[in-house]
Amino acid sequence: QVQLVESGGGSVQAGGSLRLSCVGSGNTYTWDLMGWFRQVPGKEREGIAAIWTAAGRTFYVDSVKGRFTISRDNAKNMLYLQMNSLKPEDTAMYYCAARRGVVPETSTLKEYAYNYWGQGTQVTVSS
């Protein structure tokens, strides 16, 4: 049973930072693509960052560019999201996702591109 487990969420004031982590377990899969998504109640899940695990190429939604950094430690099977300069609008449930196999680059921030999902970790940013 493959599992993705996120951690690192919490409450922070605007301008602060958080680092989310995601660990994969239960299998020796080598993920080809991993990403971070977020969702607020009543809205669709939004892809915010993704990384090709072999090449290290990254993708970001415009709203987090320059503030968030996605990274991967393949040896530890870990995925990270460093979030700086947090804003109240970043408040959401954050999810880690992964897939095996390639997709077009235009799909790297799309929910349908991912096969495996974590349970989420809540991030709350107060003004």
Side-chain angles (χ1 to χ4, degrees), residues 26-42:
N27 201 296
T28 56
Y29 271 2
T30 299
W31 306 111
D32 294 295
L33 180 68
M34 299 194 75
W36 287 99
F37 288 70
R38 65 186 180 187
Q39 188 172 27
V40 297

Side-chain angles (χ1 to χ4, degrees), residues 29-79:
Y29 271 2
T30 299
W31 306 111
D32 294 295
L33 180 68
M34 299 194 75
W36 287 99
F37 288 70
R38 65 186 180 187
Q39 188 172 27
V40 297
K43 292 191 176 182
E44 292 185 355
R45 196 172 295 188
E46 174 190 33
I48 59 172
I51 185 168
W52 288 117
T53 58
R57 179 166 164 76
T58 57
F59 307 86
Y60 297 95
V61 70
D62 286 346
S63 60
V64 307
K65 282 180 181 177
R67 300 189 299 124
F68 292 9
T69 302
I70 187 171
S71 61
R72 165 79 173 158
D73 186 330
N74 289 336
K76 296 181 180 179
N77 208 20
M78 294 289 295
L79 180 72

